[in-house]
Amino acid sequence: MLHFAPYSAFSIIALVICFALVCIFEFVNGFHDTANAVATVIYTRSLKPRTAVIWSGCMNFVGVLLGGISVAYGLVELLPADVLSPPNGDPAVPMLISLFGTALAWNLFTWWFGIPNSSSHCVIGALIGIAIGDALLHTRDLGNSVDWSQIWKILRALAISPLLGLIGAGGLYFIIKHLVHDPELYQPPQGDRPTRGWVRGLLILTCTGVSFSHGSNDGQKSIGLIMLTIIGILPATFALAPDSAPHIPHIAEYATSAAPLIEQYDHDGLRDEAIAAVGRLSRTRADDVVPSVLRADMYEVVAGLKAVSANPAASTHERAQAKVLGNQMRPVVEYAPWWVRLLSALCLGIGTMIGYKRIVHTLGEKIGNTHLTPAQGASAELVGAGLIATAGYTGLPVSTTHIITAGIAGTMLGSGSGINRGMLVKIALAWVCTLPVTITIAAGLFYILNA
């Protein structure tokens, strides 16, 4: 049978505070990032601002609901297993305060100055900082305490996607300019006159695509953060998926299969704790399970199997076996209830409807030496929507802000108008500084709060 623990008054208060923080973060994410989706339709007068942000908010809402959870847990797995699923929930509150406090502060700082910045970068930097702070707290070697393979995988996606946006949008604009000769496409807004005919429809379509893809990718990040909150504070209730009962009798079998792989290839890898967890899981009985302890052990084993699957010393068959075993164990601990998806979608959608003006003005008038034209906006958004959606369904978090901003810059280069160097320097500084600033603040906060 499953064992559940009573909740203290502190746990309930902490849960409420952390829930408020994650909802505020996703709200800020909505009005900070989604300005990228509505910038073109608002700037070209294709839609009135209120209509544009409501429509974008609705499409973000749908994107979150249909986007899955692969990105959510791709981010969550940046954390060490002992922070991710502590059996007694102790490190959860410092971890969540460090995460949300850091990401929120940097997001609001850049928004205040109208600088397009990535919420993804903020979250990832804070998660890395917490992992480093945990290693320092327990005097562990950073090389073996932080899952650098997962970090580099995510950072590569963040670094490559803006380049693809720059080149792709610039190339698409060049093609459109030589194939479509409607002058309406290449004229910046004239007063309050809206775009006409099919051009207006095209811009509404591209806004829809970016909004939906933003929800399917960025919305998952808040799903992961909400799950961190409820699992960290109330592990007895939310540690295991509600439909995990049929899987529990097989956990001992999975652990027995994983044992020789982890003992052979992960002893000097990420965590020696994985070996001890394998031993405990191999004795698991379906009628005597403590959810929080089982979750903690399973994440230790999953982390060990990840190390094996990435170890070049293991054979192809062994790496494949480790990957299969990890995938068999994950559904027990990686899930998202419907109400978590709904909460994330609501926060992101409502945030979309507020606070968009600063970023819209920057994207429309300050990226290039000339004002944004419909063809440039459509090119950047078409390429951006494709890149964001592809990343979302392959489990990689990317930055909507970086991709769309880079895409607009690419179209400015493609048109020959050039880029506003002053604004480019500001954006580049924000991009460059985000990771080191958020890593440092989150690591320091987590260390201080746990010391």
Side-chain angles (χ1 to χ4, degrees), residues 25-75:
F25 175 80
E26 190 62 359
F27 174 83
V28 172
N29 184 14
F31 77 65
H32 193 292
D33 278 18
T34 314
N36 299 285
V38 299
T40 300
V41 289
I42 291 177
Y43 189 72
T44 60
R45 316 295 192 269
S46 297
L47 288 176
K48 292 182 179 179
R50 180 176 297 178
T51 304
V53 295
I54 291 174
W55 177 246
S56 181
C58 291
M59 289 299 100
N60 268 278
F61 184 93
V62 175
V64 174
L65 294 181
L66 300 180
I69 59 172
S70 57
V71 172
Y73 281 97
L75 283 179

Side-chain angles (χ1 to χ4, degrees), residues 40-41 43-44 46 165 168-189 195-196 198-200 202-204 206 370-384 404 407-415 417:
T40 300
V41 289
Y43 189 72
T44 60
S46 297
L172 181 59
Y173 176 81
F174 181 83
I175 292 170
I176 291 173
K177 189 174 182 179
H178 285 79
L179 293 180
V180 184
H181 302 293
D182 188 338
E184 184 79 8
L185 274 172
Y186 310 104
Q187 295 177 357
T195 51
R196 299 192 307 268
W198 73 276
V199 177
R200 184 182 185 189
L202 172 65
L203 294 172
I204 294 173
T206 59
T370 59
H371 290 186
L372 186 73
T373 66
Q376 291 171 328
S379 299
E381 290 187 340
L382 278 171
V383 171
I404 299 299
I408 291 174
T411 64
M412 293 294 176
L413 292 173
S415 69
S417 63

Side-chain angles (χ1 to χ4, degrees), residues 84-99:
L84 182 59
S85 54
N88 58 4
D90 285 345
V93 174
M95 179 265 289
L96 293 168
I97 290 174
S98 302
L99 172 59

Side-chain angles (χ1 to χ4, degrees), residues 1-7 84-89 230-231 234-242 244-245 248 251 281 284-299 332-335:
M1 62 180 177
L2 299 179
H3 297 279
F4 298 95
Y7 308 133
L84 182 59
S85 54
N88 58 4
I230 62 177
I231 291 168
L234 303 176
T237 302
F238 295 103
L240 304 180
S244 62
I248 291 176
I251 289 174
L281 289 180
T284 298
R285 299 199 324 254
D287 61 345
D288 189 28
V289 169
V290 179
S292 57
V293 175
L294 180 63
R295 178 183 180 84
D297 284 344
M298 290 191 71
Y299 257 117
V332 178
V333 293
E334 295 187 353
Y335 74 103

Side-chain angles (χ1 to χ4, degrees), residues 20 32 47 56 73 86 139-140 163 166 170 174 182 201 204 221 226 228 257 274 301 306 316 350 353 355 380 406 438:
H32 193 292
L47 288 176
S56 181
Y73 281 97
T139 62
R140 295 170 177 161
L163 293 176
L166 178 81
F174 181 83
D182 188 338
I204 294 173
K221 295 160 194 169
I226 294 170
L228 275 180
S257 300
V301 175
K306 281 180 64 179
T316 302
I350 294 170
M353 302 176 193
T438 52

Side-chain angles (χ1 to χ4, degrees), residues 32-355:
H32 193 292
D33 278 18
T34 314
N36 299 285
V38 299
T40 300
V41 289
I42 291 177
Y43 189 72
T44 60
R45 316 295 192 269
S46 297
L47 288 176
K48 292 182 179 179
R50 180 176 297 178
T51 304
V53 295
I54 291 174
W55 177 246
S56 181
C58 291
M59 289 299 100
N60 268 278
F61 184 93
V62 175
V64 174
L65 294 181
L66 300 180
I69 59 172
S70 57
V71 172
Y73 281 97
L75 283 179
V76 165
E77 289 183 4
L78 289 177
L79 292 171
D82 57 342
V83 175
L84 182 59
S85 54
N88 58 4
D90 285 345
V93 174
M95 179 265 289
L96 293 168
I97 290 174
S98 302
L99 172 59
F100 299 141
T102 300
L104 266 172
W106 189 249
N107 240 357
L108 289 171
F109 176 81
T110 53
W111 169 82
W112 181 258
F113 290 98
I115 301 173
N117 180 58
S118 168
S119 296
S120 301
H121 256 176
C122 293
V123 171
I124 290 166
L127 288 170
I128 294 171
I130 292 167
I132 292 173
D134 181 67
L136 296 174
L137 191 68
H138 295 93
T139 62
R140 295 170 177 161
D141 180 6
L142 286 179
N144 292 331
S145 297
V146 180
D147 189 352
W148 293 110
S149 62
Q150 179 73 1
I151 289 173
W152 295 131
K153 178 181 176 182
I154 290 174
L155 291 182
R156 280 196 300 270
L158 287 173
I160 293 172
S161 54
L163 293 176
L164 294 177
L166 178 81
I167 297 168
L172 181 59
Y173 176 81
F174 181 83
I175 292 170
I176 291 173
K177 189 174 182 179
H178 285 79
L179 293 180
V180 184
H181 302 293
D182 188 338
E184 184 79 8
L185 274 172
Y186 310 104
Q187 295 177 357
Q190 306 294 322
D192 292 328
R193 182 178 69 85
T195 51
R196 299 192 307 268
W198 73 276
V199 177
R200 184 182 185 189
L202 172 65
L203 294 172
I204 294 173
L205 179 65
T206 59
C207 167
T208 302
V210 174
S211 300
F212 176 85
S213 59
H214 176 265
S216 70
N217 195 288
D218 273 53
Q220 289 193 51
K221 295 160 194 169
S222 66
I223 290 174
L225 298 180
I226 294 170
M227 292 306 297
L228 275 180
T229 303
I230 62 177
I231 291 168
I233 305 298
L234 303 176
T237 302
F238 295 103
L240 304 180
D243 58 354
S244 62
H247 297 278
I248 291 176
H250 302 288
I251 289 174
E253 174 189 340
Y254 299 152
T256 301
S257 300
L261 294 171
I262 293 177
E263 288 173 1
Q264 182 173 357
Y265 294 108
D266 190 46
H267 186 70
D268 296 321
L270 288 175
R271 299 172 187 88
D272 290 340
E273 292 92 336
I275 298 172
V278 162
R280 290 189 293 270
L281 289 180
S282 64
R283 299 187 296 272
T284 298
R285 299 199 324 254
D287 61 345
D288 189 28
V289 169
V290 179
S292 57
V293 175
L294 180 63
R295 178 183 180 84
D297 284 344
M298 290 191 71
Y299 257 117
E300 291 288 0
V301 175
V302 167
L305 289 170
K306 281 180 64 179
V308 174
S309 64
N311 192 331
S315 68
T316 302
H317 172 72
E318 289 169 328
R319 291 199 298 270
Q321 185 183 6
K323 187 174 182 179
V324 169
L325 286 169
N327 290 336
Q328 288 173 327
M329 299 177 78
R330 278 192 173 90
V332 178
V333 293
E334 295 187 353
Y335 74 103
W338 66 268
W339 63 267
V340 169
R341 297 170 185 259
L342 184 62
L343 179 62
S344 172
L346 283 172
C347 292
L348 187 64
I350 294 170
T352 299
M353 302 176 193
I354 301 171

